[in-house]
Amino acid sequence: MPEPRETAVYTHGHHESVLRSHTWRTAANSAAYLLPSLKPHMKILDIGCGPGTITADLAELVPDGQVTGVDRVPGILEQARATAAGRGLAHVGFAVADVHALDYPDDTFCVVHAHQVLQHVGDPVRALREMKRVVRPGGLIAVRDADYAAMTWYPASEGLDAWLDLYRRVARANGGEPDAGRRLTAWAREAGLTDITASSGTWTFATPQERAWWSGLWADRTLASAYADRALEGGHADEAHLRGVAEAWREWGTREDGWFSVLHGEILCRKEA
């Protein structure tokens, strides 16, 4: 039987406009639902760690444990290593991995965490089965994913409507599921998990600084990232369409009454002992 491997294409890539968002993420703003369950001795696997900001935060919360961050892209792990080294965290390691086929023995970790991962993979149920395999009996699987169809903003904008439609089409053409947040519980049940606590969380961008940051990174991402390339190469948009979407983002960012909310689905699953 062939070894499982990733079949989806990561929609965003690692352009500066993408990392601008990823390096902003912390355990507090992206994994709050997990933090009360952490203990100082725990061994944690952080899947899809990217530049390692959440990974480093988790390591600070388990000073007597061990944290391993994994990602499919070797290059981004250099940034993650620098993040951990800059904080003086000696109990953090990083490795290249595919969530569909993790190179760890059964029952290895106390916690397996994945933030904004399942929306980008080809087989999220198989990924959850792998997470279940490598977590110890009684251990936790913590997953959080955005749900694009549930994102909402004010004031209304035809340009942002066009952005949402385009992004969802590109993400699905790449093999992912942009509305993953609402599906996490169903995927976990299909993966054989039974002790599931479902919740939700939001990011909200409403101050002038937040609006400028959020709109700016999406405007730049629409024009210059791997997402832009895939939108063009897949025939989902032409350059004029992308420029229009980017301008809509910038215009929204200047609105004094502008407000944007990103809804995330969250699941905390305990493996049966």
Side-chain angles (χ1 to χ4, degrees), residues 75-155:
I76 196 62
L77 293 178
E78 291 307 311
Q79 186 169 341
R81 291 185 181 100
T83 298
R87 299 200 202 178
L89 298 169
H91 61 302
V92 184
F94 296 93
V96 176
D98 179 350
V99 67
H100 298 92
L102 295 168
D103 190 21
Y104 299 102
D106 296 358
D107 306 336
T108 297
F109 299 96
C110 305
V111 176
V112 177
H113 170 261
H115 184 263
Q116 312 290 27
V117 172
L118 293 190
Q119 64 185 280
H120 297 296
V121 305
D123 191 340
V125 173
R126 190 165 198 165
L128 282 162
R129 287 181 182 135
E130 269 295 270
M131 295 183 206
K132 179 184 177 185
R133 181 184 66 78
V134 301
V135 79
R136 295 171 181 171
L140 294 170
I141 298 163
V143 177
R144 186 177 196 249
D145 267 276
D147 193 300
Y148 276 77
M151 293 185 189
T152 190
W153 57 84
Y154 183 86

Side-chain angles (χ1 to χ4, degrees), residues 13-259:
H14 291 92
H15 183 264
E16 182 277 331
S17 60
V18 178
L19 294 180
R20 204 183 310 164
S21 172
H22 290 185
T23 55
W24 165 83
R25 297 172 183 174
T26 65
N29 67 30
S30 299
Y33 70 106
L34 166 64
L35 303 189
S37 300
L38 298 183
K39 301 293 188 291
H41 67 278
M42 284 183 161
K43 187 174 184 179
I44 300 175
L45 177 65
D46 187 22
I47 296 173
C49 66
T53 51
I54 297 175
T55 319
D57 284 353
L58 294 175
E60 290 179 342
L61 295 170
V62 292
D64 302 321
Q66 177 70 35
V67 178
T68 302
V70 297
D71 203 284
R72 289 186 59 216
V73 181
I76 196 62
L77 293 178
E78 291 307 311
Q79 186 169 341
R81 291 185 181 100
T83 298
R87 299 200 202 178
L89 298 169
H91 61 302
V92 184
F94 296 93
V96 176
D98 179 350
V99 67
H100 298 92
L102 295 168
D103 190 21
Y104 299 102
D106 296 358
D107 306 336
T108 297
F109 299 96
C110 305
V111 176
V112 177
H113 170 261
H115 184 263
Q116 312 290 27
V117 172
L118 293 190
Q119 64 185 280
H120 297 296
V121 305
D123 191 340
V125 173
R126 190 165 198 165
L128 282 162
R129 287 181 182 135
E130 269 295 270
M131 295 183 206
K132 179 184 177 185
R133 181 184 66 78
V134 301
V135 79
R136 295 171 181 171
L140 294 170
I141 298 163
V143 177
R144 186 177 196 249
D145 267 276
D147 193 300
Y148 276 77
M151 293 185 189
T152 190
W153 57 84
Y154 183 86
S157 166
E158 291 184 2
L160 293 192
D161 290 342
W163 158 74
L164 182 57
D165 173 72
L166 175 63
Y167 179 83
R168 292 171 78 216
R169 285 190 284 113
V170 172
R172 288 195 170 119
N174 287 338
E177 175 45 71
D179 305 340
R182 69 188 64 191
R183 292 170 164 82
L184 296 182
T185 297
W187 286 341
R189 292 181 67 235
E190 190 175 347
L193 292 158
T194 55
D195 187 347
I196 305 167
T197 301
S199 58
S200 61
T202 60
W203 293 334
T204 301
F205 306 101
T207 68
Q209 296 80 11
E210 289 166 348
R211 289 194 304 270
W213 179 78
W214 184 244
S215 63
L217 69 86
W218 268 108
D220 292 345
R221 195 180 299 191
T222 299
L223 294 175
S225 70
Y227 157 62
D229 294 338
R230 286 159 189 156
L232 294 170
E233 292 165 2
H236 305 288
D238 57 22
E239 291 185 359
H241 184 75
L242 294 182
R243 287 194 298 270
V245 169
E247 181 55 35
W249 268 114
R250 295 195 186 282
E251 194 278 332
W252 174 84
T254 66
R255 298 294 298 265
E256 291 184 359
D257 52 359
W259 177 91

